[in-house]
Amino acid sequence: MRIALDAMGGDYAPEAIVKGAVLAAQEIDESATIVLIGKEDVVNSLLKEYGYTGNNIKVINASQVIEMGEHPTKALTQKPDSSIAVGFGLLKMQKVDAFCSAGNTGAMLVGAMFSVKAIEGILRPPIANFVPKLSGGYGIILDVGANAECKPEVLEQFGELGSIYAKYVLDIKNPKVGLMNLGEEEGKGTTVTQAAHQRLKANTGINFIGNIEGRDLFNDKADVIVCDGYTGNIILKMAESLYDILHSKGIKDPFFDKFNYEAEGGSPILGVNGNVVIGHGVSSPIAISNMVMQAQKMIASKVWERFQKNYSE
């Protein structure tokens, strides 16, 4: 198992990334290798500074860096030896099993779509995120930002992708799928959500329980929450703000601690040919370590191969 990690991506790169890799190296399976991609001399110097003496971190040189504010498509074209371009190249050639980065989100999305590409049959790969549940554990919400507007058939596919992820990565036996809407009744919502409801309802491959409302986000009504990326991103940012507010007021609670972006470390892109995880730009070493651990779970569950199988049948 080889997990590639962009050493140059993120507001606090490369220091926070390398430090996070060192933390993850103490936790991952002994047979796993973390592949740090970046300026080799810089990365090796930091590994030495942080006292790393193990053998499960390897370094691959990438001479260029895509900065956070650069235009994604232009940057990937003009910087073929950037850490993001090299990472996707390794994933495409299956020389690594996953690629993680806290760098330029747009470049990560463009790389996922045009380098490793969407699995045949996938209409619009979504970014997923995790929803803490009051009863314990997590659900999954998708999309949270890749596709601001979605057709009904795309929302239906999000339900399928989320179900597969919830079943095999989150270990939820028969995940319940809910469509985020402004009312529980079947006829509520926009023309798009009404049509999506009918498609999800008719889909025998998922356990669709109907519309859910915002107040159902953290209860057990649904394990997989389906929405367009515009809605999902607003929900995600609001949840993050709740943690920030409570933290600033000195209020500590185990449930709300799960709202901290560090808890899972990143958001997977689902439906592409490989395991891809995007981290928060301000990722700390703990967040980077957790992102690597999340990639390990995805690889072990063979989730993207299960996506492939589902859409090839």
Side-chain angles (χ1 to χ4, degrees):
M1 182 185 296
R2 291 169 64 85
I3 301 168
L5 178 59
D6 174 10
M8 313 307 292
D11 293 347
Y12 304 117
E15 292 83 2
I17 314 302
V18 176
K19 194 172 287 186
V22 172
L23 291 175
Q26 300 167 17
E27 302 291 333
I28 60 171
D29 292 342
E30 290 182 4
S31 60
T33 300
I34 298 170
V35 181
L36 279 171
I37 305 168
K39 296 181 179 179
E40 197 169 10
D41 54 341
V42 174
V43 175
N44 281 325
S45 175
L46 286 170
L47 286 171
K48 184 177 180 181
E49 180 182 334
Y50 299 146
Y52 178 74
T53 57
N55 57 11
N56 58 351
I57 293 179
K58 306 297 181 186
V59 180
I60 290 182
N61 187 56
S63 62
Q64 297 172 309
V65 179
I66 295 177
E67 303 296 341
M68 298 298 272
E70 288 192 71
H71 187 281
T73 307
K74 285 182 180 178
L76 278 170
T77 303
Q78 295 169 0
K79 293 182 174 180
D81 197 42
S82 64
S83 50
I84 289 179
V86 171
F88 276 117
L90 292 171
L91 187 62
K92 183 179 180 179
M93 293 183 288
Q94 297 186 5
K95 291 185 176 180
V96 297
D97 302 295
F99 177 45
C100 308
S101 175
N104 187 305
T105 300
M108 287 295 290
L109 284 169
V110 171
M113 289 299 297
F114 296 101
S115 182
V116 294
K117 299 181 179 178
I119 292 167
E120 187 174 354
I122 297 293
L123 300 170
R124 301 289 294 272
I127 301 176
N129 211 280
F130 306 98
V131 179
K133 294 296 184 177
L134 285 162
S135 60
Y138 288 90
I140 186 171
I141 181 171
L142 63 170
D143 184 15
V144 295
N147 307 284
E149 296 182 72
C150 298
K151 294 180 178 180
E153 56 268 34
V154 173
L155 292 172
E156 178 190 8
Q157 203 166 76
F158 290 173
E160 295 170 343
L161 291 167
S163 292
I164 293 169
Y165 191 97
K167 182 176 181 179
Y168 293 104
V169 182
L170 301 181
D171 295 321
I172 300 172
K173 189 174 181 180
N174 186 28
K176 302 184 291 291
V177 178
L179 177 64
M180 182 57 69
N181 212 327
L182 48 75
E184 295 180 347
E185 296 83 0
E186 190 169 320
K188 286 289 183 74
T190 64
T191 54
V192 172
T193 54
Q194 288 174 26
H197 187 286
Q198 296 305 313
R199 295 185 71 99
L200 289 160
K201 182 180 176 181
N203 191 322
T204 57
I206 60 175
N207 179 19
F208 182 57
I209 53 88
N211 291 333
I212 63 169
E213 298 176 314
R215 62 184 174 185
D216 298 315
L217 198 63
F218 307 117
N219 62 30
D220 289 329
K221 192 165 185 179
D223 304 299
V224 178
I225 298 160
V226 173
C227 58
D228 60 61
Y230 184 91
T231 304
N233 194 266
I234 290 171
I235 290 172
L236 173 63
K237 297 297 171 59
M238 185 189 71
E240 288 181 351
S241 76
L242 288 175
Y243 171 80
D244 291 338
I245 291 167
L246 291 171
H247 185 71
S248 69
K249 291 182 175 292
I251 300 170
K252 189 169 178 62
D253 181 272
F255 173 70
F256 286 107
D257 284 348
K258 293 180 181 180
F259 286 49
N260 184 356
Y261 79 93
E262 291 181 328
E264 289 296 321
S267 302
I269 303 176
L270 305 186
V272 295
N273 287 295
N275 299 298
V276 180
V277 186
I278 301 176
H280 205 297
V282 296
S283 287
S284 65
I286 292 172
I288 294 299
S289 177
N290 286 335
M291 180 164 60
V292 171
M293 300 309 296
Q294 184 190 146
Q296 178 180 260
K297 286 192 288 186
M298 291 173 69
I299 297 165
S301 71
K302 300 185 182 297
V303 69
W304 82 264
E305 292 93 331
R306 296 181 192 279
F307 293 148
Q308 281 187 321
K309 183 179 179 182
N310 187 73
Y311 292 98
S312 66
E313 294 175 347

